[in-house]
Amino acid sequence: MSQKKLSMKVQKSIALIAHDSMKDDLLEWASKNRKVLAQSTLYATGTTGGLLAKELGLEIHNMKSGPLGGDLQIGAKIAEGKIDVLIFFWDPLEAQPHDPDVKALLRMAVVWNIPAATNRATADFIFSSPFMDQPYQHIVPDYSAHLKRMEGKI
């Protein structure tokens, strides 16, 4: 499959999500990383976004709650190229009623080759990367040939 390069600007668009049991951990991590977050465009799902806005005093673009479609809204923004980084503190030990949506969200991060942290250590590594405060060219598959093949089948 051919590839193409997409540009991430210096100011990153970051999605922040946390399952209920992980919200305190995300809030603590976000407070520690407030300086970087303040220089970014922030998106979050429902309750998480409200908690982050209150804790950080920053503007957050809130989607619906995860179980009500917020995970899918964030996934759509990734597919549209509007999200550069996904920080998703998920609880691997707790079954979620919207597990298929979570899987779809993580799939979009992989399909569009954006950095995705599912735990605090990975989020720390991403935020300590020199690419966080400079433009970055990331390579994504060029899906145009796939789309043309699919058009012929419809």
Side-chain angles (χ1 to χ4, degrees):
M1 182 177 291
S2 63
Q3 300 175 329
K4 61 183 178 181
K5 289 185 180 181
L6 296 179
S7 296
M8 287 184 196
K9 298 176 183 174
V10 172
Q11 181 182 0
K12 305 295 187 282
S13 294
I14 301 170
L16 300 159
I17 304 171
H19 284 150
D20 288 345
S21 61
M22 304 300 290
K23 288 190 189 321
D24 288 343
D25 197 31
L26 179 65
L27 289 172
E28 182 182 317
W29 177 86
S31 293
K32 177 183 166 198
N33 290 282
R34 187 186 184 288
K35 182 178 176 184
V36 174
L37 293 171
Q39 298 169 4
S40 306
T41 302
L42 304 177
Y43 295 87
T45 52
T47 308
T48 303
L51 293 169
L52 285 164
K54 183 177 177 183
E55 178 78 20
L56 303 174
L58 299 175
E59 179 183 359
I60 311 282
H61 300 281
N62 275 343
M63 305 294 113
K64 294 185 183 308
S65 171
L68 299 178
D71 296 330
L72 295 174
Q73 288 179 300
I74 296 287
K77 290 201 174 297
I78 292 170
E80 294 168 0
K82 294 181 180 175
I83 302 285
D84 299 315
V85 177
L86 173 64
I87 306 295
F88 184 4
F89 285 16
W90 68 286
D91 184 348
L93 302 178
E94 187 85 23
Q96 302 293 328
H98 60 295
D99 274 341
D101 299 345
V102 170
K103 184 176 180 182
L105 170 63
L106 295 172
R107 182 177 170 277
M108 285 297 97
V110 173
V111 165
W112 295 105
N113 193 30
I114 68 163
T118 57
N119 59 38
R120 190 175 189 141
T122 309
D124 286 341
F125 270 75
I126 289 171
F127 268 54
S128 65
S129 168
F131 296 122
M132 280 302 293
D133 61 1
Q134 62 182 330
Y136 177 70
Q137 296 282 318
H138 66 117
I139 297 172
V140 298
D142 183 350
Y143 295 109
S144 57
H146 170 76
L147 292 173
K148 284 185 184 202
R149 278 194 314 275
M150 297 310 291
E151 284 176 3
K153 293 181 180 182
I154 295 177

